[in-house]
Amino acid sequence: GTVEDTSSGRSYGWVMYYSSNCKIIDSVASDGRHNYLVQGSDNCDIINCTSINDRISGIDVHGVGGTKIRIMGCRVLGGDLKYGNNRSGIRVGNSSHVVADTDVLVKDNLISGFTKSGDSAIDIVGPSSNTIIQGNSIYDCYNGITNTGNNTDRGATTGMGGTITAYEMTTQTIDRVIVRDNTFTNITNKLCRFETGDLASEIVTPAPRSKSVNTIELHDNTAINCFGAFDFDAITKLNATNNTVVAPANTTHNMFTIEKCNNVFLSRNTSRDLSTCIVLDDCLNPKVIGNDFGNTIVGTSGTTSGLVAFDNADAEPIEYISGITTSTVFTGAYIDISTSTIPTITDGAQVQYTTFTAA
């Protein structure tokens, strides 16, 4: 039937409120504000379900302390409906709810058709903690995986337990997101975009409110025929290994664009078709080791220092654009790996070298 009211708290499809050990299986919902919603619940599943043409989110883990929520094997399809600034296939967290969602698994889902500007296949919103995004097929979307930050539709008005309100929660924190074994196809903007910063569009007191992102683990993902990059700005820690870009839709885009991140480890990532694979801007002591970039360049700018760039399979010189301390600048010269120590790389290794030998 026709949806008459799409305002807050209306036009929901399948819902689990404050539930334990419940499941929604093999169901279909369409045209809702949220087609599936789980809030304040424990150990609940949404499995093998279909969401079609949502207005804000197809499947939404809606905050208020939800834990051990699993979204698996679902089809989430966008369409021509959209309400507000940001729409997503699957969303974890709610900026209007103070207590974070924890231990949410988003696995083996097919997400497609979120093509409007600002749309994302998967959106992680603070506060939330320990979210795993694994084995999903994401295609024909504007963005792949993002953190939009605030719920601009509702503002921040919901009080939890009468002790604190979202007005007082000046920072929305996303703590540890694992993104692994996903396939991105035909993404027209960002593959991933996580950032820390002010939420200028939110009109609340006190202001400004901000969003904060801690650890991002990015492993074994593949992007095919996509525009855009894995894009990170001012997050606390980034560990990215074994990611691959194949047949990019635009070879002038980067594989990684990383700004103001002070704990970065990149290893065994592959892309042979991009003009610049990695851009590091204002990052302190990044570790970029053992990647396969073919004939492309590792570029840095801003005030980056202490770059580790051993054995990245670069046929071209490693290029330092500007702002690099003199002890690490080898513009136009190869790093002579024959006389430099090649570290043994293990997952999550934090290796730092301050001097190199130039050929």
Side-chain angles (χ1 to χ4, degrees):
T2 301
V3 176
E4 300 293 345
D5 186 353
T6 59
S7 61
S8 178
R10 304 288 189 271
S11 184
Y12 295 176
W14 297 89
V15 176
M16 290 184 284
Y17 277 127
Y18 305 99
S19 304
S20 295
N21 307 313
C22 294
K23 302 178 188 293
I24 302 172
I25 302 175
D26 297 328
S27 300
V28 178
S30 66
D31 294 7
R33 182 182 175 93
H34 309 290
N35 287 333
Y36 297 82
L37 184 142
V38 53
Q39 176 175 306
S41 298
D42 171 65
N43 196 34
C44 290
D45 298 328
I46 300 174
I47 299 176
N48 294 337
C49 291
T50 299
S51 169
I52 302 171
N53 210 13
D54 64 84
R55 286 168 163 79
I56 293 180
S57 58
I59 301 175
D60 200 301
V61 183
H62 212 55
V64 201
T67 185
K68 296 183 176 66
I69 307 300
R70 293 166 293 270
I71 303 167
M72 299 186 297
C74 296
R75 291 195 314 151
V76 185
L77 308 177
D80 58 356
L81 300 178
K82 184 171 180 175
Y83 184 87
N85 295 329
N86 305 106
R87 183 180 63 152
S88 52
I90 297 173
R91 180 170 293 175
V92 177
N94 188 308
S95 64
S96 296
H97 295 162
V98 172
V99 184
D101 291 312
T102 61
D103 300 325
V104 176
L105 175 64
V106 180
K107 187 174 186 292
D108 297 336
N109 303 285
L110 183 154
I111 308 161
S112 179
F114 292 86
T115 59
K116 297 181 184 298
S117 178
D119 284 359
S120 299
I122 299 173
D123 193 29
I124 312 298
V125 180
S128 58
S129 176
N130 203 30
T131 302
I132 298 175
I133 304 170
Q134 179 178 346
N136 300 283
S137 178
I138 299 170
Y139 67 94
D140 294 343
C141 290
Y142 184 76
N143 289 310
I145 302 169
T146 59
N147 71 311
T148 58
N150 58 331
N151 186 339
T152 56
D153 170 53
R154 295 187 63 192
T157 57
T158 304
M160 296 293 105
T163 58
I164 185 172
T165 71
Y167 280 112
E168 299 170 285
M169 185 182 63
T170 57
T171 301
Q172 302 168 0
T173 299
I174 296 173
D175 188 14
R176 193 164 186 258
V177 179
I178 299 173
V179 180
R180 65 188 180 204
D181 296 315
N182 302 283
T183 301
F184 303 84
T185 308
N186 300 336
I187 306 302
T188 58
N189 194 43
K190 301 294 185 181
L191 298 171
C192 287
R193 170 67 177 173
F194 284 89
E195 61 182 332
T196 291
D198 290 340
L199 299 174
S201 61
E202 187 91 56
I203 302 174
V204 298
T205 301
R209 298 172 77 219
S210 64
K211 55 184 176 180
S212 175
V213 182
N214 291 333
T215 300
I216 301 292
E217 300 276 350
L218 186 76
H219 307 294
D220 302 298
N221 300 284
T222 300
I224 304 168
N225 194 41
C226 295
F227 292 86
F230 296 106
D231 195 336
F232 303 95
D233 187 354
I235 67 173
T236 303
K237 180 180 179 180
L238 171 64
N239 185 4
T241 65
N242 292 314
N243 301 288
T244 303
V245 169
V246 179
N250 186 337
T251 59
T252 64
H253 283 268
N254 312 316
M255 183 175 183
F256 292 96
T257 300
I258 303 170
E259 302 177 69
K260 299 180 180 66
C261 299
N262 292 337
N263 194 342
V264 176
F265 179 78
L266 304 179
S267 182
R268 300 191 299 278
N269 301 289
T270 301
S271 178
R272 290 180 161 269
D273 301 310
L274 296 170
S275 58
T276 305
C277 278
I278 297 177
V279 170
L280 297 163
D281 186 355
D282 200 9
C283 299
L284 180 63
N285 297 322
K287 290 81 176 171
V288 182
I289 310 170
N291 300 281
D292 184 0
F293 298 144
N295 293 324
T296 59
I297 294 170
V298 179
T300 66
S301 62
T303 57
T304 305
S305 62
L307 178 69
V308 176
F310 284 111
D311 193 25
N312 285 305
D314 290 309
E316 298 294 327
I318 291 177
E319 179 186 7
Y320 298 84
I321 300 171
S322 64
I324 313 304
T325 58
T326 56
S327 63
T328 59
V329 173
F330 300 107
T331 301
Y334 291 99
I335 290 177
D336 182 2
I337 61 175
S338 66
T339 59
S340 301
T341 302
I342 305 298
T344 300
I345 305 303
T346 58
D347 286 342
Q350 295 298 302
V351 184
Q352 181 174 339
Y353 288 79
T354 57
T355 59
F356 305 97
T357 302

